[in-house]
Amino acid sequence: MAVNTCDPALRSWVKSAHAAGTDFPIQNLPYGVGRVLVPETTQAGADVMVAIGDQALSLRRLAATAALDGLDDGVKQACREITLNALMSLSKEQLRMLRERISALLEEARVETMPHRAAVEAALLPQSSVFPMVPAAIGDYTDFYASIFHATNVGKLFRPDNPLLPNYKYVPIGYHGRASSIVPSATSILRPKGQLAGAQGTAPSFAPTRMLDYELEVGAFVGHGNGFGHPVPIDEAREHLFGLCLVNDWSARDIQSWEYQPLGPFLSKSFATTVSPWVVTLDALEPFRVSAYERPSEDPASLPYLNGEDDQRRGGFDVRLEVLVETPRMRDAGEAPFLLSRSNLRELYWTPGQMVAHHTSNGCNLRTGDLLATGTVSGSETTARGCLLEITARGAQPVVLRNGESRKFLEDGDTVILRGYCERAGAARIGFGECRGTVEPAR
Ligand code: MN
């Protein structure tokens, strides 16, 4: 009999899984990879883990016990790897069995798994003792531009009369990002140097960026890839995605505006991209699937290869997103971070499934562990702008923080924190944890 691992009535014996506002109740069970500090040896190893409350359950440790017996060898081997790639490439059925087993082992009322309780307790580590790593070996990283509000707001700054380019409502715009500089949450971000345009006809200079920005994004990890030369039909696109995480696409706006024509962003983006440690699976997000963004009636229908009945009906995700900043002054004063904006993934013009269908439509092969980011998630409201470029109109209208400080762009020492969570009546609230990074002065 199929078990509903999203059932809001499920309870865990891990007490912190019931703490008010926790991102990681038993209905979530996101996967990640962490380095465990082993005090007695000072050796560090990487474990595949599942977040539960304020704990991280090491699947590597669990796989060494009888607690995972009955699952096939491929599943157990995937739990012993140092990235999530093997786990992401498991079949839907294998992933369902693993999720059901982990849920059962952590559930309060499941007597048949009680003999394994000691083994599970021994595999639980406080999240505070685990260093998060990039969860997958990411071969390729693509960044889309899926928020029409972001595209319009940014377009207005550069082309007041013609903010949205004519291709926008037909093509899911994207560019190939840099996988090597994707870093885990909490990694410091060095202010990059680059070419900055000179004033009116003078030569550019090479200097630290003066317009360092964040971009609030969500990333989708590819589970099953597609063969070279084999496009993924829109009706199957979602099946190729494993789960979602938070992404901060750090951006140097002055470098960007000088370099971007005609081939798009390059060094203004490739210096660093931060991902959150936990990958929330599409299985956990099932209660939060919603219809695709409803296009205004005057907008064109998308072309048939991007227009799927199921994708239109249930291809969106209701994920609430927040971005906060903590300045050095706030940190010294012990003040809480300042909320800069709030938006929602469901307001994207293109669904993650459409991104997969479009990306592969020319025969390009996606591989397990590839990361597809949405682009800045801005909403229709002025309080829902997902980067400082939009919030401050390229620095023209600085944002004033609670303590009276103001920001046009990020300053050295600023910490940017992204958060995401799903919440609705009749479902357990689940969250993404944090994606954070602190700006360090240029060297
Ligand atoms: Mn971006």
Side-chain angles (χ1 to χ4, degrees):
M1 193 184 82
V3 179
N4 177 9
T5 52
C6 296
D7 184 348
L10 293 181
R11 290 189 61 80
S12 175
W13 50 263
V14 177
K15 290 206 166 52
S16 59
H18 301 283
T22 182
D23 280 340
F24 309 118
I26 192 170
Q27 293 82 1
N28 193 347
L29 305 178
Y31 294 102
V33 173
R35 278 159 59 100
V36 187
L37 287 188
V38 185
E40 58 271 28
T41 62
T42 69
Q43 281 182 337
D47 286 15
V48 169
M49 297 181 170
V50 167
I52 177 81
D54 62 6
Q55 304 288 297
L57 176 65
S58 164
L59 296 192
R60 185 183 63 78
R61 292 185 183 193
L62 209 56
T65 74
L68 298 185
D69 280 3
L71 297 175
D72 68 49
D73 289 344
V75 175
K76 283 197 254 187
Q77 186 50 43
C79 294
R80 297 187 195 104
E81 301 286 343
I82 57 168
T83 67
L84 291 185
N85 294 59
L87 198 138
M88 288 170 164
S89 70
L90 295 174
S91 71
K92 213 174 159 52
E93 181 62 12
Q94 287 173 312
L95 284 170
R96 187 184 62 78
M97 306 246 312
L98 177 60
R99 180 173 163 85
E100 285 182 7
R101 177 64 63 88
I102 295 166
S103 177
L105 288 167
L106 293 168
E107 199 193 331
E108 203 167 57
R110 291 290 284 270
V111 281
E112 72 274 22
T113 60
M114 287 305 274
H116 302 300
R117 174 79 174 256
V120 179
E121 279 179 359
L124 279 176
L125 305 146
Q127 279 172 31
S128 57
S129 73
V130 172
F131 282 90
M133 298 174 72
V134 174
I138 300 171
D140 280 294
Y141 157 48
T142 302
D143 195 19
F144 283 89
Y145 198 53
S147 164
I148 195 169
F149 304 107
H150 173 66
T152 305
N153 291 339
V154 171
K156 264 183 203 155
L157 295 171
F158 298 97
R159 298 175 302 273
D161 303 330
N162 182 25
L164 202 64
L165 293 169
N167 59 0
Y168 190 85
K169 293 175 181 177
Y170 292 97
V171 190
I173 303 288
Y175 68 95
H176 287 110
R178 182 79 196 165
S180 67
S181 54
I182 296 177
V183 295
S185 185
T187 304
S188 292
I189 305 300
L190 211 59
R191 179 179 296 274
K193 292 180 184 171
Q195 282 202 25
L196 314 179
Q200 290 297 319
T202 62
S205 60
F206 183 78
T209 175
R210 290 189 281 266
M211 296 188 171
L212 184 59
D213 201 355
Y214 59 84
E215 290 191 330
L216 168 64
E217 307 197 10
V218 169
F221 278 103
V222 173
H224 284 278
N226 61 298
F228 177 66
H230 292 271
V232 175
I234 182 68
D235 295 329
E236 296 168 22
R238 222 182 46 86
E239 299 293 309
H240 288 263
L241 294 175
F242 174 81
L244 306 182
C245 69
L246 303 173
V247 175
N248 183 344
D249 175 24
W250 302 92
S251 300
R253 301 304 185 188
D254 39 9
I255 299 173
Q256 186 179 356
S257 60
W258 172 239
E259 76 172 2
Y260 88 105
Q261 287 174 320
L263 289 184
F266 182 32
L267 303 184
S268 56
K269 302 274 193 176
S270 63
F271 59 95
T273 304
T274 307
V275 292
S276 59
W278 300 108
V279 184
V280 178
T281 63
L282 293 206
D283 289 333
L285 288 164
E286 190 62 30
F288 304 100
R289 287 177 62 181
V290 292
S291 61
Y293 175 74
E294 200 178 323
R295 295 180 168 207
S297 54
E298 64 270 24
D299 282 13
S302 43
L303 296 177
Y305 80 98
L306 294 172
N307 199 343
E309 195 261 319
D310 182 69
D311 187 64
Q312 285 302 302
R313 196 164 52 82
R314 305 208 309 143
F317 293 91
D318 181 5
V319 182
R320 302 172 198 217
L321 300 165
E322 296 177 353
V323 51
L324 304 97
V325 66
E326 181 189 69
T327 69
R329 230 179 86 187
M330 291 160 69
R331 195 152 44 237
D332 292 345
E335 292 169 15
F338 179 80
L339 181 71
L340 287 165
S341 72
R342 267 200 176 115
S343 60
N344 194 307
L345 197 60
R346 68 188 298 169
E347 287 203 83
L348 288 186
Y349 200 76
W350 300 104
T351 65
Q354 287 174 315
M355 294 175 207
V356 169
H358 183 66
H359 206 314
T360 62
S361 63
N362 63 350
C364 171
N365 47 323
L366 298 176
R367 294 178 295 188
T368 300
D370 282 359
L371 183 66
L372 311 184
T374 56
T376 307
V377 185
S378 294
S380 52
E381 306 287 323
T382 55
T383 53
R385 296 178 166 175
C387 61
L388 286 174
L389 177 69
E390 290 173 69
I391 292 174
T392 71
R394 206 164 191 262
Q397 297 152 26
V399 56
V400 179
L401 313 181
R402 194 196 307 104
N403 64 2
E405 288 183 282
S406 69
R407 287 289 183 275
K408 295 175 176 173
F409 288 98
L410 295 170
E411 295 187 7
D412 293 343
D414 286 352
T415 299
V416 176
I417 304 156
L418 312 184
R419 292 182 187 152
Y421 60 97
C422 304
E423 201 169 63
R424 73 162 175 80
R429 176 198 187 277
I430 62 171
F432 285 71
E434 286 186 347
C435 177
R436 63 163 66 216
T438 301
V439 178
E440 286 197 357
R443 272 188 208 133

